[in-house]
Amino acid sequence: FLKYINRTDTQHRALDGLLESALYALGVHAQSNGLKYLLLPGNLTINGAYSSHEALAARLLQFEADTGIEVIVINGENDVNTGNKAVTFENNVMEVTADTSPADFKDLYKDLGYDLAYKTYTPTSGTAGMLSYSVKLDGGYRLIAIDGKNISQDLMKWINDEIDDAKNNGEVVIGLTHSNLVPMNTIQETLDKNKLYDNWLETAETLADKGMRFVFTGK
């Protein structure tokens, strides 16, 4: 386990404490300033282990119950279909454990965003993008949560239809997705391109021209 965690700069030993500290701070902030929604754009786990999602979903549901804040999630690339990357050290050796399928993810987080869904996306074939959905937020906003970093033509049509519907209802469109739609800095496209959307410039310009001018991303 120590050899495994020393390969990255992720704070594995402190993850539980960091999560509890963040949720506590958000709860305190909400009491003084008000807070309606908590948006989590993935990654929600390190390696997509089903047990990790199960534990996090349970903690977020408790957070909702304690604070009244609605949690809205979308997955990142480390959250579903990771295969042999999902590991456990329960027996003091690294062993492959159950990972999480898109259907598993949707079931685990069914009350953490998907319960608020106005529309959900259903692929014409396969599972790519199937976790995408939209939410009508208070205050006249339409949140569109996008699954994946390569938007198919079919998914783009669904997003565009949602944007048109939102604009017809006088709503401001906000995106929620894991990968960056624009580079975070001047060197990301050269040194850290895997964190960007595939064909990011065309995708970002297409969505912006259509009416999605604000996007929350992970990474």
PDB file of all heavy atoms in Angstrom, residues 174-212:
ATOM      1  N   ILE A 174     -25.705  26.413 -17.669  1.00  0.00           N
ATOM      2  CA  ILE A 174     -24.425  26.132 -17.009  1.00  0.00           C
ATOM      3  C   ILE A 174     -24.041  24.682 -17.291  1.00  0.00           C
ATOM      4  O   ILE A 174     -24.871  23.780 -17.161  1.00  0.00           O
ATOM      5  CB  ILE A 174     -24.511  26.345 -15.488  1.00  0.00           C
ATOM      6  CG1 ILE A 174     -24.921  27.781 -15.156  1.00  0.00           C
ATOM      7  CG2 ILE A 174     -23.181  26.017 -14.818  1.00  0.00           C
ATOM      8  CD1 ILE A 174     -25.176  28.003 -13.685  1.00  0.00           C
ATOM      9  N   GLY A 175     -22.800  24.439 -17.665  1.00  0.00           N
ATOM     10  CA  GLY A 175     -22.317  23.082 -17.873  1.00  0.00           C
ATOM     11  C   GLY A 175     -21.637  22.532 -16.626  1.00  0.00           C
ATOM     12  O   GLY A 175     -21.099  23.292 -15.810  1.00  0.00           O
ATOM     13  N   LEU A 176     -21.671  21.223 -16.482  1.00  0.00           N
ATOM     14  CA  LEU A 176     -20.956  20.522 -15.410  1.00  0.00           C
ATOM     15  C   LEU A 176     -20.319  19.296 -16.034  1.00  0.00           C
ATOM     16  O   LEU A 176     -21.013  18.403 -16.530  1.00  0.00           O
ATOM     17  CB  LEU A 176     -21.921  20.113 -14.289  1.00  0.00           C
ATOM     18  CG  LEU A 176     -21.287  19.355 -13.112  1.00  0.00           C
ATOM     19  CD1 LEU A 176     -20.387  20.271 -12.298  1.00  0.00           C
ATOM     20  CD2 LEU A 176     -22.376  18.747 -12.212  1.00  0.00           C
ATOM     21  N   THR A 177     -18.996  19.244 -16.045  1.00  0.00           N
ATOM     22  CA  THR A 177     -18.297  18.138 -16.679  1.00  0.00           C
ATOM     23  C   THR A 177     -16.921  17.982 -16.049  1.00  0.00           C
ATOM     24  O   THR A 177     -16.405  18.912 -15.434  1.00  0.00           O
ATOM     25  CB  THR A 177     -18.187  18.363 -18.200  1.00  0.00           C
ATOM     26  OG1 THR A 177     -17.675  17.193 -18.835  1.00  0.00           O
ATOM     27  CG2 THR A 177     -17.303  19.560 -18.525  1.00  0.00           C
ATOM     28  N   HIS A 178     -16.330  16.814 -16.201  1.00  0.00           N
ATOM     29  CA  HIS A 178     -15.069  16.564 -15.508  1.00  0.00           C
ATOM     30  C   HIS A 178     -13.860  17.193 -16.215  1.00  0.00           C
ATOM     31  O   HIS A 178     -13.113  17.970 -15.626  1.00  0.00           O
ATOM     32  CB  HIS A 178     -14.839  15.066 -15.341  1.00  0.00           C
ATOM     33  CG  HIS A 178     -13.518  14.749 -14.700  1.00  0.00           C
ATOM     34  ND1 HIS A 178     -13.196  15.155 -13.423  1.00  0.00           N
ATOM     35  CD2 HIS A 178     -12.419  14.115 -15.169  1.00  0.00           C
ATOM     36  CE1 HIS A 178     -11.977  14.768 -13.116  1.00  0.00           C
ATOM     37  NE2 HIS A 178     -11.474  14.131 -14.165  1.00  0.00           N
ATOM     38  N   SER A 179     -13.653  16.845 -17.477  1.00  0.00           N
ATOM     39  CA  SER A 179     -12.473  17.321 -18.192  1.00  0.00           C
ATOM     40  C   SER A 179     -12.602  18.802 -18.528  1.00  0.00           C
ATOM     41  O   SER A 179     -13.702  19.329 -18.659  1.00  0.00           O
ATOM     42  CB  SER A 179     -12.279  16.506 -19.477  1.00  0.00           C
ATOM     43  OG  SER A 179     -12.013  15.147 -19.167  1.00  0.00           O
ATOM     44  N   ASN A 180     -11.467  19.449 -18.702  1.00  0.00           N
ATOM     45  CA  ASN A 180     -11.458  20.878 -19.002  1.00  0.00           C
ATOM     46  C   ASN A 180     -11.908  21.134 -20.441  1.00  0.00           C
ATOM     47  O   ASN A 180     -11.423  20.497 -21.374  1.00  0.00           O
ATOM     48  CB  ASN A 180     -10.064  21.459 -18.815  1.00  0.00           C
ATOM     49  CG  ASN A 180      -9.536  21.282 -17.414  1.00  0.00           C
ATOM     50  OD1 ASN A 180      -8.362  21.025 -17.209  1.00  0.00           O
ATOM     51  ND2 ASN A 180     -10.397  21.409 -16.420  1.00  0.00           N
ATOM     52  N   LEU A 181     -12.805  22.088 -20.614  1.00  0.00           N
ATOM     53  CA  LEU A 181     -13.234  22.487 -21.951  1.00  0.00           C
ATOM     54  C   LEU A 181     -12.319  23.548 -22.546  1.00  0.00           C
ATOM     55  O   LEU A 181     -12.301  23.752 -23.757  1.00  0.00           O
ATOM     56  CB  LEU A 181     -14.676  23.003 -21.908  1.00  0.00           C
ATOM     57  CG  LEU A 181     -15.759  21.949 -22.153  1.00  0.00           C
ATOM     58  CD1 LEU A 181     -17.128  22.492 -21.827  1.00  0.00           C
ATOM     59  CD2 LEU A 181     -15.716  21.474 -23.605  1.00  0.00           C
ATOM     60  N   VAL A 182     -11.573  24.231 -21.709  1.00  0.00           N
ATOM     61  CA  VAL A 182     -10.525  25.164 -22.162  1.00  0.00           C
ATOM     62  C   VAL A 182      -9.310  24.925 -21.276  1.00  0.00           C
ATOM     63  O   VAL A 182      -9.440  24.494 -20.124  1.00  0.00           O
ATOM     64  CB  VAL A 182     -10.980  26.639 -22.066  1.00  0.00           C
ATOM     65  CG1 VAL A 182     -12.110  26.915 -23.041  1.00  0.00           C
ATOM     66  CG2 VAL A 182     -11.387  27.005 -20.658  1.00  0.00           C
ATOM     67  N   PRO A 183      -8.114  25.186 -21.771  1.00  0.00           N
ATOM     68  CA  PRO A 183      -6.914  24.958 -20.956  1.00  0.00           C
ATOM     69  C   PRO A 183      -6.922  25.817 -19.692  1.00  0.00           C
ATOM     70  O   PRO A 183      -7.353  26.968 -19.696  1.00  0.00           O
ATOM     71  CB  PRO A 183      -5.775  25.374 -21.890  1.00  0.00           C
ATOM     72  CG  PRO A 183      -6.333  25.219 -23.263  1.00  0.00           C
ATOM     73  CD  PRO A 183      -7.777  25.591 -23.157  1.00  0.00           C
ATOM     74  N   MET A 184      -6.445  25.230 -18.604  1.00  0.00           N
ATOM     75  CA  MET A 184      -6.357  25.948 -17.333  1.00  0.00           C
ATOM     76  C   MET A 184      -5.201  26.940 -17.327  1.00  0.00           C
ATOM     77  O   MET A 184      -5.188  27.871 -16.536  1.00  0.00           O
ATOM     78  CB  MET A 184      -6.183  24.957 -16.177  1.00  0.00           C
ATOM     79  CG  MET A 184      -7.373  24.048 -15.933  1.00  0.00           C
ATOM     80  SD  MET A 184      -7.122  22.984 -14.487  1.00  0.00           S
ATOM     81  CE  MET A 184      -5.821  21.902 -15.068  1.00  0.00           C
ATOM     82  N   ASN A 185      -4.208  26.718 -18.198  1.00  0.00           N
ATOM     83  CA  ASN A 185      -3.036  27.590 -18.260  1.00  0.00           C
ATOM     84  C   ASN A 185      -2.418  27.468 -19.645  1.00  0.00           C
ATOM     85  O   ASN A 185      -2.902  26.701 -20.494  1.00  0.00           O
ATOM     86  CB  ASN A 185      -2.026  27.230 -17.163  1.00  0.00           C
ATOM     87  CG  ASN A 185      -1.716  25.742 -17.153  1.00  0.00           C
ATOM     88  OD1 ASN A 185      -1.322  25.190 -18.180  1.00  0.00           O
ATOM     89  ND2 ASN A 185      -1.898  25.096 -16.020  1.00  0.00           N
ATOM     90  N   THR A 186      -1.356  28.188 -19.884  1.00  0.00           N
ATOM     91  CA  THR A 186      -0.777  28.258 -21.227  1.00  0.00           C
ATOM     92  C   THR A 186      -0.002  27.005 -21.627  1.00  0.00           C
ATOM     93  O   THR A 186       0.300  26.830 -22.811  1.00  0.00           O
ATOM     94  CB  THR A 186       0.164  29.470 -21.331  1.00  0.00           C
ATOM     95  OG1 THR A 186       1.176  29.368 -20.312  1.00  0.00           O
ATOM     96  CG2 THR A 186      -0.607  30.774 -21.133  1.00  0.00           C
ATOM     97  N   ILE A 187       0.315  26.139 -20.683  1.00  0.00           N
ATOM     98  CA  ILE A 187       1.118  24.956 -21.010  1.00  0.00           C
ATOM     99  C   ILE A 187       0.328  23.658 -20.943  1.00  0.00           C
ATOM    100  O   ILE A 187       0.865  22.599 -21.244  1.00  0.00           O
ATOM    101  CB  ILE A 187       2.346  24.845 -20.075  1.00  0.00           C
ATOM    102  CG1 ILE A 187       1.910  24.657 -18.612  1.00  0.00           C
ATOM    103  CG2 ILE A 187       3.255  26.047 -20.233  1.00  0.00           C
ATOM    104  CD1 ILE A 187       3.053  24.366 -17.673  1.00  0.00           C
ATOM    105  N   GLN A 188      -0.941  23.726 -20.569  1.00  0.00           N
ATOM    106  CA  GLN A 188      -1.691  22.478 -20.380  1.00  0.00           C
ATOM    107  C   GLN A 188      -1.815  21.672 -21.668  1.00  0.00           C
ATOM    108  O   GLN A 188      -1.687  20.448 -21.649  1.00  0.00           O
ATOM    109  CB  GLN A 188      -3.093  22.762 -19.831  1.00  0.00           C
ATOM    110  CG  GLN A 188      -3.877  21.472 -19.563  1.00  0.00           C
ATOM    111  CD  GLN A 188      -5.235  21.696 -18.937  1.00  0.00           C
ATOM    112  OE1 GLN A 188      -5.645  22.827 -18.699  1.00  0.00           O
ATOM    113  NE2 GLN A 188      -5.947  20.634 -18.666  1.00  0.00           N
ATOM    114  N   GLU A 189      -2.062  22.334 -22.787  1.00  0.00           N
ATOM    115  CA  GLU A 189      -2.254  21.600 -24.034  1.00  0.00           C
ATOM    116  C   GLU A 189      -1.001  20.841 -24.441  1.00  0.00           C
ATOM    117  O   GLU A 189      -1.075  19.814 -25.105  1.00  0.00           O
ATOM    118  CB  GLU A 189      -2.677  22.559 -25.146  1.00  0.00           C
ATOM    119  CG  GLU A 189      -3.160  21.826 -26.386  1.00  0.00           C
ATOM    120  CD  GLU A 189      -3.734  22.748 -27.434  1.00  0.00           C
ATOM    121  OE1 GLU A 189      -3.547  23.978 -27.308  1.00  0.00           O
ATOM    122  OE2 GLU A 189      -4.359  22.248 -28.375  1.00  0.00           O
ATOM    123  N   THR A 190       0.162  21.319 -24.002  1.00  0.00           N
ATOM    124  CA  THR A 190       1.425  20.661 -24.330  1.00  0.00           C
ATOM    125  C   THR A 190       1.800  19.588 -23.306  1.00  0.00           C
ATOM    126  O   THR A 190       2.183  18.470 -23.675  1.00  0.00           O
ATOM    127  CB  THR A 190       2.570  21.698 -24.411  1.00  0.00           C
ATOM    128  OG1 THR A 190       2.229  22.675 -25.382  1.00  0.00           O
ATOM    129  CG2 THR A 190       3.873  21.026 -24.790  1.00  0.00           C
ATOM    130  N   LEU A 191       1.667  19.906 -22.018  1.00  0.00           N
ATOM    131  CA  LEU A 191       2.184  19.018 -20.978  1.00  0.00           C
ATOM    132  C   LEU A 191       1.130  18.180 -20.279  1.00  0.00           C
ATOM    133  O   LEU A 191       1.460  17.197 -19.623  1.00  0.00           O
ATOM    134  CB  LEU A 191       2.933  19.855 -19.921  1.00  0.00           C
ATOM    135  CG  LEU A 191       4.134  20.651 -20.419  1.00  0.00           C
ATOM    136  CD1 LEU A 191       4.776  21.405 -19.272  1.00  0.00           C
ATOM    137  CD2 LEU A 191       5.145  19.733 -21.092  1.00  0.00           C
ATOM    138  N   ASP A 192      -0.130  18.562 -20.382  1.00  0.00           N
ATOM    139  CA  ASP A 192      -1.165  17.863 -19.607  1.00  0.00           C
ATOM    140  C   ASP A 192      -2.447  17.735 -20.418  1.00  0.00           C
ATOM    141  O   ASP A 192      -3.547  17.967 -19.919  1.00  0.00           O
ATOM    142  CB  ASP A 192      -1.439  18.640 -18.310  1.00  0.00           C
ATOM    143  CG  ASP A 192      -1.928  17.735 -17.193  1.00  0.00           C
ATOM    144  OD1 ASP A 192      -1.890  16.507 -17.375  1.00  0.00           O
ATOM    145  OD2 ASP A 192      -2.341  18.257 -16.147  1.00  0.00           O
ATOM    146  N   LYS A 193      -2.306  17.330 -21.675  1.00  0.00           N
ATOM    147  CA  LYS A 193      -3.425  17.345 -22.620  1.00  0.00           C
ATOM    148  C   LYS A 193      -4.514  16.344 -22.255  1.00  0.00           C
ATOM    149  O   LYS A 193      -5.680  16.512 -22.634  1.00  0.00           O
ATOM    150  CB  LYS A 193      -2.910  17.063 -24.032  1.00  0.00           C
ATOM    151  CG  LYS A 193      -3.921  17.375 -25.121  1.00  0.00           C
ATOM    152  CD  LYS A 193      -3.297  17.257 -26.498  1.00  0.00           C
ATOM    153  CE  LYS A 193      -4.294  17.632 -27.590  1.00  0.00           C
ATOM    154  NZ  LYS A 193      -3.686  17.582 -28.933  1.00  0.00           N
ATOM    155  N   ASN A 194      -4.164  15.283 -21.499  1.00  0.00           N
ATOM    156  CA  ASN A 194      -5.157  14.263 -21.169  1.00  0.00           C
ATOM    157  C   ASN A 194      -6.267  14.805 -20.277  1.00  0.00           C
ATOM    158  O   ASN A 194      -7.326  14.186 -20.161  1.00  0.00           O
ATOM    159  CB  ASN A 194      -4.493  13.065 -20.480  1.00  0.00           C
ATOM    160  CG  ASN A 194      -3.938  13.417 -19.114  1.00  0.00           C
ATOM    161  OD1 ASN A 194      -3.239  14.428 -18.972  1.00  0.00           O
ATOM    162  ND2 ASN A 194      -4.211  12.607 -18.119  1.00  0.00           N
ATOM    163  N   LYS A 195      -6.035  15.959 -19.666  1.00  0.00           N
ATOM    164  CA  LYS A 195      -7.074  16.545 -18.819  1.00  0.00           C
ATOM    165  C   LYS A 195      -8.018  17.462 -19.597  1.00  0.00           C
ATOM    166  O   LYS A 195      -8.980  17.977 -19.038  1.00  0.00           O
ATOM    167  CB  LYS A 195      -6.437  17.321 -17.660  1.00  0.00           C
ATOM    168  CG  LYS A 195      -5.701  16.414 -16.682  1.00  0.00           C
ATOM    169  CD  LYS A 195      -5.123  17.186 -15.516  1.00  0.00           C
ATOM    170  CE  LYS A 195      -4.395  16.245 -14.546  1.00  0.00           C
ATOM    171  NZ  LYS A 195      -3.794  16.985 -13.411  1.00  0.00           N
ATOM    172  N   LEU A 196      -7.728  17.653 -20.875  1.00  0.00           N
ATOM    173  CA  LEU A 196      -8.576  18.464 -21.737  1.00  0.00           C
ATOM    174  C   LEU A 196      -9.565  17.596 -22.498  1.00  0.00           C
ATOM    175  O   LEU A 196      -9.305  16.414 -22.765  1.00  0.00           O
ATOM    176  CB  LEU A 196      -7.719  19.220 -22.757  1.00  0.00           C
ATOM    177  CG  LEU A 196      -7.068  20.532 -22.327  1.00  0.00           C
ATOM    178  CD1 LEU A 196      -6.015  20.939 -23.355  1.00  0.00           C
ATOM    179  CD2 LEU A 196      -8.109  21.631 -22.161  1.00  0.00           C
ATOM    180  N   TYR A 197     -10.679  18.177 -22.872  1.00  0.00           N
ATOM    181  CA  TYR A 197     -11.595  17.515 -23.788  1.00  0.00           C
ATOM    182  C   TYR A 197     -10.878  17.190 -25.090  1.00  0.00           C
ATOM    183  O   TYR A 197     -10.038  17.955 -25.559  1.00  0.00           O
ATOM    184  CB  TYR A 197     -12.782  18.428 -24.102  1.00  0.00           C
ATOM    185  CG  TYR A 197     -14.068  18.048 -23.406  1.00  0.00           C
ATOM    186  CD1 TYR A 197     -14.243  18.333 -22.056  1.00  0.00           C
ATOM    187  CD2 TYR A 197     -15.085  17.410 -24.089  1.00  0.00           C
ATOM    188  CE1 TYR A 197     -15.418  17.982 -21.411  1.00  0.00           C
ATOM    189  CE2 TYR A 197     -16.260  17.063 -23.468  1.00  0.00           C
ATOM    190  CZ  TYR A 197     -16.429  17.350 -22.118  1.00  0.00           C
ATOM    191  OH  TYR A 197     -17.595  16.989 -21.496  1.00  0.00           O
ATOM    192  N   ASP A 198     -11.213  16.043 -25.685  1.00  0.00           N
ATOM    193  CA  ASP A 198     -10.755  15.775 -27.037  1.00  0.00           C
ATOM    194  C   ASP A 198     -11.359  16.843 -27.951  1.00  0.00           C
ATOM    195  O   ASP A 198     -12.538  17.181 -27.823  1.00  0.00           O
ATOM    196  CB  ASP A 198     -11.209  14.385 -27.487  1.00  0.00           C
ATOM    197  CG  ASP A 198     -10.606  13.270 -26.630  1.00  0.00           C
ATOM    198  OD1 ASP A 198      -9.554  13.505 -26.014  1.00  0.00           O
ATOM    199  OD2 ASP A 198     -11.208  12.183 -26.579  1.00  0.00           O
ATOM    200  N   ASN A 199     -10.571  17.364 -28.877  1.00  0.00           N
ATOM    201  CA  ASN A 199     -11.057  18.396 -29.797  1.00  0.00           C
ATOM    202  C   ASN A 199     -11.689  19.547 -29.011  1.00  0.00           C
ATOM    203  O   ASN A 199     -12.775  20.025 -29.322  1.00  0.00           O
ATOM    204  CB  ASN A 199     -12.079  17.804 -30.772  1.00  0.00           C
ATOM    205  CG  ASN A 199     -12.285  18.656 -31.998  1.00  0.00           C
ATOM    206  OD1 ASN A 199     -11.465  19.518 -32.308  1.00  0.00           O
ATOM    207  ND2 ASN A 199     -13.394  18.442 -32.681  1.00  0.00           N
ATOM    208  N   TRP A 200     -10.962  20.005 -27.978  1.00  0.00           N
ATOM    209  CA  TRP A 200     -11.538  20.932 -27.005  1.00  0.00           C
ATOM    210  C   TRP A 200     -11.943  22.271 -27.605  1.00  0.00           C
ATOM    211  O   TRP A 200     -12.976  22.842 -27.224  1.00  0.00           O
ATOM    212  CB  TRP A 200     -10.551  21.165 -25.849  1.00  0.00           C
ATOM    213  CG  TRP A 200      -9.290  21.888 -26.219  1.00  0.00           C
ATOM    214  CD1 TRP A 200      -8.099  21.321 -26.599  1.00  0.00           C
ATOM    215  CD2 TRP A 200      -9.095  23.300 -26.274  1.00  0.00           C
ATOM    216  NE1 TRP A 200      -7.171  22.302 -26.869  1.00  0.00           N
ATOM    217  CE2 TRP A 200      -7.755  23.524 -26.675  1.00  0.00           C
ATOM    218  CE3 TRP A 200      -9.905  24.395 -26.005  1.00  0.00           C
ATOM    219  CZ2 TRP A 200      -7.218  24.797 -26.833  1.00  0.00           C
ATOM    220  CZ3 TRP A 200      -9.366  25.675 -26.161  1.00  0.00           C
ATOM    221  CH2 TRP A 200      -8.054  25.861 -26.565  1.00  0.00           C
ATOM    222  N   LEU A 201     -11.136  22.796 -28.541  1.00  0.00           N
ATOM    223  CA  LEU A 201     -11.421  24.135 -29.060  1.00  0.00           C
ATOM    224  C   LEU A 201     -12.740  24.153 -29.833  1.00  0.00           C
ATOM    225  O   LEU A 201     -13.604  25.015 -29.597  1.00  0.00           O
ATOM    226  CB  LEU A 201     -10.274  24.607 -29.952  1.00  0.00           C
ATOM    227  CG  LEU A 201     -10.417  26.014 -30.541  1.00  0.00           C
ATOM    228  CD1 LEU A 201     -10.583  27.055 -29.440  1.00  0.00           C
ATOM    229  CD2 LEU A 201      -9.212  26.352 -31.413  1.00  0.00           C
ATOM    230  N   GLU A 202     -12.921  23.199 -30.720  1.00  0.00           N
ATOM    231  CA  GLU A 202     -14.169  23.133 -31.487  1.00  0.00           C
ATOM    232  C   GLU A 202     -15.357  22.886 -30.567  1.00  0.00           C
ATOM    233  O   GLU A 202     -16.420  23.502 -30.724  1.00  0.00           O
ATOM    234  CB  GLU A 202     -14.086  22.039 -32.546  1.00  0.00           C
ATOM    235  CG  GLU A 202     -15.342  21.923 -33.393  1.00  0.00           C
ATOM    236  CD  GLU A 202     -15.257  20.820 -34.434  1.00  0.00           C
ATOM    237  OE1 GLU A 202     -14.145  20.319 -34.677  1.00  0.00           O
ATOM    238  OE2 GLU A 202     -16.303  20.463 -35.000  1.00  0.00           O
ATOM    239  N   THR A 203     -15.166  21.988 -29.581  1.00  0.00           N
ATOM    240  CA  THR A 203     -16.255  21.681 -28.648  1.00  0.00           C
ATOM    241  C   THR A 203     -16.632  22.902 -27.825  1.00  0.00           C
ATOM    242  O   THR A 203     -17.815  23.239 -27.680  1.00  0.00           O
ATOM    243  CB  THR A 203     -15.847  20.528 -27.711  1.00  0.00           C
ATOM    244  OG1 THR A 203     -15.512  19.379 -28.484  1.00  0.00           O
ATOM    245  CG2 THR A 203     -16.989  20.176 -26.765  1.00  0.00           C
ATOM    246  N   ALA A 204     -15.626  23.590 -27.279  1.00  0.00           N
ATOM    247  CA  ALA A 204     -15.893  24.767 -26.451  1.00  0.00           C
ATOM    248  C   ALA A 204     -16.572  25.867 -27.256  1.00  0.00           C
ATOM    249  O   ALA A 204     -17.532  26.503 -26.793  1.00  0.00           O
ATOM    250  CB  ALA A 204     -14.590  25.282 -25.840  1.00  0.00           C
ATOM    251  N   GLU A 205     -16.083  26.106 -28.479  1.00  0.00           N
ATOM    252  CA  GLU A 205     -16.675  27.159 -29.304  1.00  0.00           C
ATOM    253  C   GLU A 205     -18.102  26.798 -29.717  1.00  0.00           C
ATOM    254  O   GLU A 205     -18.985  27.665 -29.753  1.00  0.00           O
ATOM    255  CB  GLU A 205     -15.808  27.399 -30.542  1.00  0.00           C
ATOM    256  CG  GLU A 205     -14.489  28.094 -30.222  1.00  0.00           C
ATOM    257  CD  GLU A 205     -13.683  28.404 -31.466  1.00  0.00           C
ATOM    258  OE1 GLU A 205     -13.950  27.800 -32.526  1.00  0.00           O
ATOM    259  OE2 GLU A 205     -12.773  29.245 -31.371  1.00  0.00           O
ATOM    260  N   THR A 206     -18.343  25.524 -30.009  1.00  0.00           N
ATOM    261  CA  THR A 206     -19.690  25.084 -30.383  1.00  0.00           C
ATOM    262  C   THR A 206     -20.670  25.319 -29.250  1.00  0.00           C
ATOM    263  O   THR A 206     -21.774  25.859 -29.450  1.00  0.00           O
ATOM    264  CB  THR A 206     -19.680  23.595 -30.772  1.00  0.00           C
ATOM    265  OG1 THR A 206     -18.845  23.399 -31.915  1.00  0.00           O
ATOM    266  CG2 THR A 206     -21.092  23.104 -31.101  1.00  0.00           C
ATOM    267  N   LEU A 207     -20.282  24.925 -28.037  1.00  0.00           N
ATOM    268  CA  LEU A 207     -21.164  25.090 -26.891  1.00  0.00           C
ATOM    269  C   LEU A 207     -21.349  26.559 -26.533  1.00  0.00           C
ATOM    270  O   LEU A 207     -22.464  26.989 -26.204  1.00  0.00           O
ATOM    271  CB  LEU A 207     -20.607  24.316 -25.689  1.00  0.00           C
ATOM    272  CG  LEU A 207     -20.610  22.798 -25.823  1.00  0.00           C
ATOM    273  CD1 LEU A 207     -19.893  22.149 -24.640  1.00  0.00           C
ATOM    274  CD2 LEU A 207     -22.042  22.258 -25.918  1.00  0.00           C
ATOM    275  N   ALA A 208     -20.277  27.339 -26.608  1.00  0.00           N
ATOM    276  CA  ALA A 208     -20.384  28.765 -26.289  1.00  0.00           C
ATOM    277  C   ALA A 208     -21.273  29.485 -27.296  1.00  0.00           C
ATOM    278  O   ALA A 208     -22.121  30.303 -26.924  1.00  0.00           O
ATOM    279  CB  ALA A 208     -18.996  29.397 -26.251  1.00  0.00           C
ATOM    280  N   ASP A 209     -21.087  29.180 -28.589  1.00  0.00           N
ATOM    281  CA  ASP A 209     -21.901  29.812 -29.621  1.00  0.00           C
ATOM    282  C   ASP A 209     -23.371  29.444 -29.463  1.00  0.00           C
ATOM    283  O   ASP A 209     -24.260  30.255 -29.744  1.00  0.00           O
ATOM    284  CB  ASP A 209     -21.423  29.399 -31.013  1.00  0.00           C
ATOM    285  CG  ASP A 209     -20.078  30.013 -31.387  1.00  0.00           C
ATOM    286  OD1 ASP A 209     -19.658  30.977 -30.713  1.00  0.00           O
ATOM    287  OD2 ASP A 209     -19.446  29.517 -32.337  1.00  0.00           O
ATOM    288  N   LYS A 210     -23.618  28.239 -28.998  1.00  0.00           N
ATOM    289  CA  LYS A 210     -24.993  27.792 -28.810  1.00  0.00           C
ATOM    290  C   LYS A 210     -25.642  28.470 -27.612  1.00  0.00           C
ATOM    291  O   LYS A 210     -26.858  28.690 -27.587  1.00  0.00           O
ATOM    292  CB  LYS A 210     -25.013  26.266 -28.634  1.00  0.00           C
ATOM    293  CG  LYS A 210     -26.412  25.664 -28.647  1.00  0.00           C
ATOM    294  CD  LYS A 210     -27.070  25.828 -29.999  1.00  0.00           C
ATOM    295  CE  LYS A 210     -28.434  25.160 -30.029  1.00  0.00           C
ATOM    296  NZ  LYS A 210     -29.142  25.389 -31.301  1.00  0.00           N
ATOM    297  N   GLY A 211     -24.840  28.802 -26.595  1.00  0.00           N
ATOM    298  CA  GLY A 211     -25.400  29.493 -25.441  1.00  0.00           C
ATOM    299  C   GLY A 211     -24.920  29.018 -24.091  1.00  0.00           C
ATOM    300  O   GLY A 211     -25.359  29.516 -23.061  1.00  0.00           O
ATOM    301  N   MET A 212     -23.978  28.046 -24.066  1.00  0.00           N
ATOM    302  CA  MET A 212     -23.404  27.594 -22.791  1.00  0.00           C
ATOM    303  C   MET A 212     -22.142  28.405 -22.544  1.00  0.00           C
ATOM    304  O   MET A 212     -21.064  28.078 -23.027  1.00  0.00           O
ATOM    305  CB  MET A 212     -23.086  26.096 -22.828  1.00  0.00           C
ATOM    306  CG  MET A 212     -22.543  25.566 -21.499  1.00  0.00           C
ATOM    307  SD  MET A 212     -22.057  23.819 -21.553  1.00  0.00           S
ATOM    308  CE  MET A 212     -23.650  23.013 -21.677  1.00  0.00           C
TER     309      MET A 212
END
